[in-house]
Amino acid sequence: MSVPEHAENTQNAGGSVEVTLAVGQQKELPVVPVAAGRPPDREMHAILEIGVTSGGTPGIASGPARGSRPVLAEVLIVDTSRSMLHPAAKLHAAKDATAAAIRLLPEGTAFAVLSGRFDATVVHPGAGLAVMAVAESAEREAAERAVRILEADGGTAIGTWLDLARRLLKQQSAPIKHVLLLTDGRNEHDDRSPSRLDTVLDACEGRFVCDAWGIGDDWDADLLLTITRRLHGRAGAVRHESELPAVYEELMNGLLGTAVPELRIRLTPTPGTVIRQVKQVVPNEQELLATGAEFGERGVEYVTRAWGEESRHFQVVLTADPTEREIGEDLQLAAVDVVVPDFGRTVRLPAPRPILVRWTDDPRDASRQHPGVRRHELYRQASAAAVRAHRAWLRGAEGRATADRELARALALAVELGDAPLLHELRRIEAAPGTGRVRDGLRDVDWQHLILSTAMTTPPRQPDAGPPPAGPPEAHPPAAPGPDELIECPGCRWIGPADSVYCGGDCGRLLKGAR
């Protein structure tokens, strides 16, 4: 596989794709350690904004396979454990949704349908077969017939399901390898399975992308997020069984709109700089692992997969030692480059961008965070607050006060983030708007939907253009603090932006707006 090194890759014509790259950071780092005994290295956090546009051309997986090589290899996993019969509407919806996905598979797509219980079985192309079918009219019809007669029995061991998908996809050369997994329960029989989930995820990571979906009222958000964060997919759930077929059609259409099957972020640190972490932070958090391939003396690559026409944000954490470095000058810590493997279309790639540092002895300069870094920290705090509220709610009356307090914290953070979908999900938990109290009559599944919602992130909204809204002055909120205004936490002495609702340091206390 050849990888283009420059700002344009003139592959075979068939549509032009453009990749953009921007680096956002607060460049100042302190020369003096923030506390006695701390190591001299300092952490630089930068946000990479990477976008892909396809110029209106169809996705590479939406058409027929090129020659004998499919572009897409798809495995559809249906939970057929006994609980799918309670109620039976879950199994009926799973069959309808899987059939809808099968009908959308383009000609020549390699595919298989698996039934998941204590173990996994190939429903199509057939039990005992270790190969995948090739989509065409007769194969799709046969697969749908096989799905329609599925029955539910047994338990749930998801590791065995993913392991069979891995073995099937291992034989495929398609540039896009994808698994769509549906479950209504928890991985309750993992301890009895020869394919434990943690071990299987280790083997699957980097091999394919997996979206995991919940149905019913007993699925586990943490389980879905564990799978999708390791396998770089999306976790979600439907509130009503009847919604699942439309959701599957949307997921498949998104997959068929893939513009770039793989995109690599290449970091080349300067001498003395160490890469500590690279992770995706928008539209959800996913840790990225280095490929192991090195370029030049220090370059390292991180793989991201299956890009549609979209933008994603990544956080890079570097450490460097300021000893004997100039103060007040921009110095390069690393170069960022984006590379795309050849896949048959023209790709315009951005020029490399630097990650900089400016060493300073002014603590006010060194205390400021880039908005993207701070935003991700607020999301982490909101997610943690939601989890703590759920755990407190599980304790009943004993945990009620804690659940209320943590829900109020999550609500305040959602308001600060300006995240309307997250705020909507939190309002479903709240007794009444503005109370900050957990409502009566909740079910555990209500909390599971909330936990999934806290895992989805959005970039800062661009300010609206045009004149301010009409109305009396008292109807408008006071102006937000300027970017240079700071606040100090009275607990841990953390210094941060003056509009912070909660401390961003170790104590995490409420700084303003207490109820």
Side-chain angles (χ1 to χ4, degrees), residues 1-356:
M1 180 188 303
S2 62
V3 177
E5 300 287 349
H6 305 293
E8 182 162 345
N9 175 17
T10 55
Q11 301 169 18
N12 298 330
S16 176
V17 176
E18 182 175 6
V19 180
T20 60
L21 168 65
V23 177
Q25 60 174 133
Q26 184 67 39
K27 295 181 291 187
E28 287 78 12
L29 283 182
V31 171
V32 180
V34 292
R38 295 283 182 92
D41 286 358
R42 311 287 186 271
E43 284 191 351
M44 169 57 70
H45 295 249
I47 297 293
L48 313 182
E49 299 182 20
I50 300 177
V52 171
T53 56
S54 59
T57 56
I60 61 172
S62 60
R66 297 186 182 94
S68 61
R69 183 190 181 194
V71 178
L72 170 65
E74 178 71 20
V75 176
L76 300 165
I77 303 179
V78 184
D79 185 338
T80 54
S81 61
R82 187 179 296 111
S83 60
M84 287 289 284
L85 294 175
H86 306 287
K90 290 188 291 188
L91 185 58
H92 293 153
K95 292 179 180 181
D96 289 344
T98 304
I102 291 169
R103 289 193 292 269
L104 287 171
L105 294 173
E107 292 287 309
T109 297
F111 78 102
V113 182
L114 309 186
S115 167
R117 302 178 182 177
F118 287 118
D119 56 7
T121 304
V122 178
V123 174
H124 188 82
L129 296 179
V131 297
M132 297 179 70
V134 178
E136 45 84 21
S137 180
E139 278 297 341
R140 283 190 289 265
E141 291 176 3
E144 184 171 346
R145 288 195 299 270
V147 167
R148 293 296 179 188
I149 62 174
L150 281 173
E151 297 180 348
D153 196 13
T156 304
I158 294 177
T160 63
W161 312 353
L162 290 172
D163 190 56
L164 179 54
R166 178 190 63 82
R167 285 183 276 126
L168 290 171
L169 290 171
K170 185 179 181 180
Q171 306 170 29
Q172 298 298 317
S173 60
I176 305 173
K177 299 179 183 181
H178 183 259
V179 172
L180 181 50
L181 182 154
L182 176 73
T183 183
D184 76 325
R186 301 164 189 268
N187 197 32
E188 56 190 351
H189 298 110
D190 190 55
D191 59 341
R192 296 163 49 184
S193 170
S195 302
R196 301 291 292 270
L197 181 59
D198 286 345
T199 302
V200 171
L201 290 176
D202 288 340
C204 293
E205 189 167 9
R207 305 289 182 181
F208 56 83
V209 172
C210 178
D211 292 329
W213 226 252
I215 188 173
D217 58 8
D218 196 35
W219 48 272
D220 181 3
D222 185 60
L223 171 65
L224 301 183
L225 291 171
T226 296
I227 293 170
T228 54
R229 282 172 174 162
R230 291 290 301 277
L231 303 183
H232 293 196
R234 177 184 172 190
V238 292
R239 293 185 180 275
H240 305 287
E241 289 86 355
S242 60
E243 299 171 354
L244 188 65
V247 167
Y248 262 41
E249 289 184 6
E250 181 181 353
L251 288 168
M252 289 301 298
N253 284 324
L255 182 65
L256 299 182
T258 299
V260 173
E262 179 181 298
L263 183 152
R264 299 189 176 200
I265 300 170
R266 180 179 296 178
L267 294 177
T268 306
T270 56
T273 300
V274 178
I275 302 170
R276 294 298 183 190
Q277 186 180 47
V278 179
K279 62 182 176 182
Q280 178 179 292
V281 294
V282 174
N284 52 13
E285 182 176 325
Q286 292 175 347
E287 195 79 18
L288 301 185
L289 301 178
T291 62
E294 295 187 356
F295 299 87
E297 295 182 359
R298 296 174 301 277
V300 182
E301 283 189 348
Y302 299 82
V303 178
T304 66
R305 301 186 190 279
W307 286 68
E309 188 152 341
E310 61 181 304
S311 176
R312 302 181 194 176
H313 293 192
F314 302 85
Q315 185 171 351
V316 175
V317 182
L318 308 172
T319 57
D321 184 350
T323 305
E324 298 182 356
R325 299 291 184 179
E326 293 292 333
I327 295 178
E329 293 185 6
D330 286 352
L331 304 173
Q332 181 167 307
L333 289 179
V336 184
D337 203 358
V338 174
V339 293
V340 174
D342 293 344
F343 64 98
R345 287 189 176 176
T346 300
V347 182
R348 293 196 298 275
L349 296 173
R353 302 282 190 269
I355 297 178
L356 304 173

